Amino acid sequence: MYFRVTLSGVEVIKKSDTRIKREKGKSIIDFPDQFTLIDIETTGLDANFDSIIEIGALKVKNDEIVDSLSTLVKPDDPFDLSDFITDLTGITPEMINNDGIDTKSALHKLLDFVEDDLIVGYNVSFDINFIYDNVLNLFGAKFNNNYIDIMRSCRKLTPELKHHRVKDMLKEFEIGTEQKHRALSDCEQEFKIYKCVKDQVINGVGIEEFIKTRKKTPSKNIKLSEITTSKEEFDEDNPFFQSYVAFTGGLDTMVRLDAMQVIKDLGGEPQKNVTKKTNYLLLGNKFYQSQLIDGKSSKYKKALSLKSDGQPIEIITENVFLDIIDEME
C-alpha cells in the first residue's frame, strides 16, 4: 500500500497509480525549416505536482518567425510560487492573478497555435510532459506531436563542452544575451541556438550524416564504491553520463539501490550526499510532495543554494527521472 500526501489529507493509492505512461510523439533529430518552438515556466519540476504559469511559442516557416504566442497562466488550484521561481523568472503571484488566464484557456490557445506542427524546444520533454498531462486532464486528448530537442543536438555537436544549458550555448555561439527564464524570450533565444546548430551542421558533416551518426564513448575509470557496472560503452547523449547524482527521500517505483544501479549503468556516479560535484539531486515522489507542505530538507536546501551560486545542478523528481529513462529507450 502507498500513500500520497495532499493538501486535504493523506490519500491511499496503488503503486500502479503513481505514474502513467505518456503516449507522446516521437523524439527525432532533424533540422526542418517549419515548426512551432515552445517554452513554458512552471511552479516546479514535476508535472504530477506542479503547475504551468507561463506559455510562450513561436511559429516558424522557411526558417523565419511568422507568429508568436505569449500568456501568463493562472493555475486552477491554489498554487505555491516559491521565492526561488520568482527570483529566477521575475514572475510574481500578483502578475499571475492580475494578467493570467486559466489553464484550459491557455492550453486551448496553444493547441490552436501549434496545430499539427512538429514541436521544437530546449530540453523540450520537460515542457511537453506538463502540456501532455494538462491536455489529457482538461480535454481528454493526447498531445502527441513529434518533437525535436535542441539540447540533444547541442550535445552531439559540442561533446567537448562540460554542460549544454541554454546559457552555455548562448556563450558558445557568442549570441551574448543572458537567459531571462521568461517563456517567450526563452523561445527567441532557443531559436537563435537552433539556427546556429543547424548552420554548423550544414557547413560541417551535413544534416544526413549528423542524424545517422551516434557515437559511443568508452567508459572512463570511475571510482566505484558498492555499485559496479559491466557496461563498457555509454551513449554520449545520455544526460547522466559522467554526472554525479545524489538521492533524497524514498522512491515510489523502485528501491534506491536499483535507481543507483541505473545511474551507474548509464555511466554516472551515484552519491549519498549533495556536494560541489553534484549534477543532479533526485527526489522521491512522496518526499517531493511533502516538501511542498512541510518545507525543504537539508539536501534540497543545499542543492538550491548551490544552484543559486551558479553550480550546474538540476533538481529532478522520480517521475522526471523515469521520463528521462523512457526517452532513451
Side-chain angles (χ1 to χ4, degrees):
M1 184 174 292
Y2 289 78
F3 301 92
R4 177 184 290 129
V5 181
T6 68
L7 293 175
S8 59
V10 178
E11 176 186 356
V12 180
I13 58 174
K14 297 178 181 178
K15 182 175 181 180
S16 59
D17 293 333
T18 60
R19 181 173 177 267
I20 298 174
K21 176 79 170 179
R22 298 182 182 95
E23 298 177 25
K24 298 190 296 184
K26 184 180 179 181
S27 174
I28 63 177
I29 294 181
D30 202 356
F31 297 94
D33 59 10
Q34 181 168 323
F35 52 85
T36 295
L37 196 153
I38 63 173
D39 188 272
I40 65 172
E41 302 299 332
T42 66
T43 58
L45 302 163
D46 195 316
N48 290 273
F49 307 131
D50 298 304
S51 303
I52 299 170
I53 55 174
E54 188 175 41
I55 294 174
L58 298 175
K59 180 77 71 173
V60 175
K61 293 184 179 179
N62 298 318
D63 277 336
E64 297 292 337
I65 298 171
V66 297
D67 201 0
S68 65
L69 170 70
S70 177
T71 183
L72 287 169
V73 182
K74 185 177 180 180
D76 302 322
D77 298 321
F79 63 96
D80 176 23
L81 194 62
S82 68
D83 292 341
F84 177 79
I85 296 297
T86 294
D87 291 342
L88 181 70
T89 64
I91 298 173
T92 65
E94 291 75 22
M95 292 169 61
I96 293 173
N97 287 322
N98 292 336
D99 301 324
I101 62 176
D102 64 89
T103 304
K104 188 171 185 178
S105 298
L107 288 173
H108 195 279
K109 282 189 173 185
L110 178 66
L111 294 176
D112 284 347
F113 188 83
V114 170
E115 299 178 314
D116 296 326
D117 280 1
L118 183 67
I119 300 297
V120 173
Y122 210 91
N123 192 25
V124 73
S125 283
F126 172 87
D127 307 82
I128 288 175
N129 289 343
F130 271 86
I131 295 168
Y132 184 101
D133 289 2
N134 279 277
V135 167
L136 185 63
N137 180 50
L138 294 171
F139 299 100
K142 297 172 183 176
F143 186 69
N144 54 11
N145 300 47
N146 290 343
Y147 58 97
I148 294 171
D149 187 350
I150 302 170
M151 185 168 68
R152 186 179 177 192
S153 294
C154 287
R155 285 199 182 105
K156 288 175 66 67
L157 181 67
T158 57
E160 72 281 359
L161 295 183
K162 186 174 181 181
H163 304 293
H164 295 84
R165 299 161 296 181
V166 168
K167 69 177 184 179
D168 299 311
M169 303 318 298
L170 291 175
K171 181 178 180 181
E172 173 70 13
F173 295 131
E174 298 181 347
I175 296 173
T177 305
E178 291 186 6
Q179 187 178 9
K180 296 180 180 179
H181 296 287
R182 291 297 301 269
L184 187 60
S185 62
D186 283 0
C187 283
E188 292 166 349
Q189 290 180 325
E190 291 160 16
F191 181 55
K192 291 178 182 179
I193 294 172
Y194 173 84
K195 291 202 294 184
C196 288
V197 173
K198 183 175 182 178
D199 288 344
Q200 289 200 15
V201 169
I202 291 174
N203 295 323
V205 298
I207 292 177
E208 184 177 347
E209 185 66 21
F210 184 84
I211 292 172
K212 75 179 184 180
T213 302
R214 292 184 60 84
K215 295 189 299 182
K216 299 262 185 173
T217 305
S219 172
K220 293 188 176 182
N221 293 324
I222 302 174
K223 290 183 179 180
L224 307 176
S225 52
E226 301 175 353
I227 305 171
T228 62
T229 181
S230 60
K231 294 183 179 296
E232 296 180 353
E233 292 186 338
F234 304 98
D235 185 348
E236 68 173 10
D237 290 335
N238 156 29
F240 298 116
F241 178 65
Q242 294 184 343
S243 292
Y244 288 83
V245 183
F247 294 78
T248 187
L251 303 180
D252 283 346
T253 57
M254 65 180 78
V255 297
R256 185 177 295 187
L257 179 62
D258 289 342
M260 288 183 168
Q261 185 65 61
V262 169
I263 295 298
K264 201 68 175 180
D265 288 341
L266 291 170
E269 184 67 28
Q271 294 179 300
K272 292 183 178 180
N273 299 304
V274 175
T275 71
K276 290 186 177 181
K277 289 184 176 181
T278 305
N279 303 109
Y280 293 92
L281 173 62
L282 196 158
L283 311 177
N285 284 340
K286 295 192 296 288
F287 177 81
Y288 174 62
Q289 196 167 10
S290 73
Q291 301 305 288
L292 304 181
I293 301 170
D294 301 329
K296 298 175 178 62
S297 72
S298 57
K299 287 184 183 179
Y300 198 173
K301 288 179 179 177
K302 184 172 183 180
L304 287 173
S305 175
L306 290 170
K307 189 177 180 71
S308 296
D309 290 341
Q311 179 168 326
I313 179 172
E314 298 295 335
I315 304 168
I316 63 175
T317 64
E318 179 181 352
N319 283 335
V320 173
F321 172 66
L322 294 171
D323 289 335
I324 294 172
I325 300 304
D326 284 347
E327 291 295 327
M328 294 185 288
E329 292 179 352

